Amino acid sequence: RKEVEQDPGPFNVPEGATVAFNCTYSNSASQSFFWYRQDCRKEPKLLMSVYSSGNEDGRFTAQLNRASQYISLLIRDSKLSDSATYLCAHASGGSYIPTFGRGTSLIVHP
Amino acid sequence: DAGVTQSPTHLIKTRGQHVTLRCSPISGHKSVSWYQQVLGQGPQFIFQYYEKEERGRGNFPDRFSARQFPNYSSELNVNALLLGDSALYLCASSQNTEAFFGQGTRLTVV
């Protein structure tokens, strides 16, 4: 089983829609969780860090479920500019070495 | 403030050659990590350095090596290049748990 698993998609949604991605992780010792956004042929950019049960930043909400070992990212009122690949990552305590999933592709259309 | 800078941005090499990639972290960040990203996959961890010491190594062959200098910049070296080494090589800088990426070096091996 891979350390971090994500549905590669693509998720194809209209503008204004709400979309959610899930990401499961296998290491129960993981303490830090992250969502990154990556545009085509660009570097990943940190979108949100999740250290406790969840985090919210504007239209974006990340939630952590330690019992089921998954984190989710909810995007409300999708914009065309939200089209990108969303990578989830986790780091075990003390290592500070994020391990990434393969990413989920989101396409927001007019 | 300058972010993470990597050089070169693009590189074409022939099989069997050697390559050196360079990275300067964000000012004040003492940790540098290297990742390899092939198309359609998430970044795969290669090395992490902190205060010039190797802190972690991913599942890559001995052809891959790295080092960190007193000013915290870093080099990734790859010997005896294979076609399969063609990828985007990303450097990430961190101060605690959050990693910030440079724009990457796109290596093509022909």
Side-chain angles (χ1 to χ4, degrees):
Chain A
R1 183 184 174 186
K2 289 187 177 180
E3 274 201 62
V4 183
E5 298 213 44
Q6 293 184 256
D7 179 348
F11 284 64
N12 207 318
V13 303
E15 270 186 292
T18 295
V19 62
F21 311 132
N22 276 346
C23 167
T24 58
Y25 61 95
S26 59
N27 187 346
S28 59
S30 296
Q31 295 183 351
S32 307
F33 303 87
F34 311 94
W35 282 103
Y36 283 78
R37 171 199 168 118
Q38 186 172 27
D39 293 292
C40 187
R41 302 182 73 81
K42 299 284 191 182
E43 76 275 20
K45 291 188 192 293
L46 182 63
L47 184 63
M48 298 182 79
S49 303
V50 188
Y51 296 108
S52 56
S53 61
N55 193 10
E56 184 172 325
D57 183 6
R59 299 183 294 110
F60 298 83
T61 301
Q63 290 193 314
L64 168 63
N65 185 317
R66 287 190 185 275
S68 301
Q69 294 186 203
Y70 75 85
I71 59 172
S72 63
L73 178 68
L74 182 78
I75 305 175
R76 290 179 295 275
D77 188 22
S78 299
K79 312 289 184 193
L80 295 177
S81 58
D82 293 333
S83 298
T85 296
Y86 291 84
L87 298 160
C88 88
H90 75 100
S92 302
S95 75
Y96 303 146
I97 301 174
T99 299
F100 287 84
R102 64 178 295 182
T104 297
S105 175
L106 171 66
I107 301 170
V108 182
H109 59 81
Chain B
D1 283 343
V4 181
T5 57
Q6 291 186 243
S7 63
T9 55
H10 295 82
L11 201 52
I12 299 175
K13 288 285 192 177
T14 318
R15 277 179 299 174
Q17 284 189 311
H18 160 271
V19 69
T20 298
L21 310 181
R22 296 178 174 83
C23 172
S24 292
I26 293 169
S27 178
H29 287 194
K30 299 180 179 179
S31 177
V32 169
S33 300
W34 287 95
Y35 288 82
Q36 180 197 67
Q37 187 176 27
V38 299
L39 198 61
Q41 299 296 320
Q44 296 297 306
F45 171 70
I46 310 175
F47 287 108
Q48 187 188 67
Y49 278 78
Y50 178 78
E51 290 275 17
K52 295 168 287 179
E53 297 288 327
E54 182 183 299
R55 280 290 185 89
R57 174 186 284 254
N59 188 24
F60 280 80
D62 291 343
R63 300 183 295 109
F64 289 76
S65 63
R67 55 181 175 166
Q68 187 176 33
F69 299 99
N71 66 353
Y72 304 112
S73 67
S74 178
E75 283 182 355
L76 175 71
N77 295 284
V78 187
N79 291 324
L81 284 166
L82 303 174
L83 295 179
D85 295 330
S86 296
L88 179 67
Y89 288 85
L90 294 159
C91 171
S93 157
S94 57
Q95 193 171 26
N96 41 49
T97 58
E98 295 178 346
F100 300 91
F101 287 91
Q103 83 278 18
T105 294
R106 190 162 299 278
L107 172 65
T108 302
V109 183
V110 298

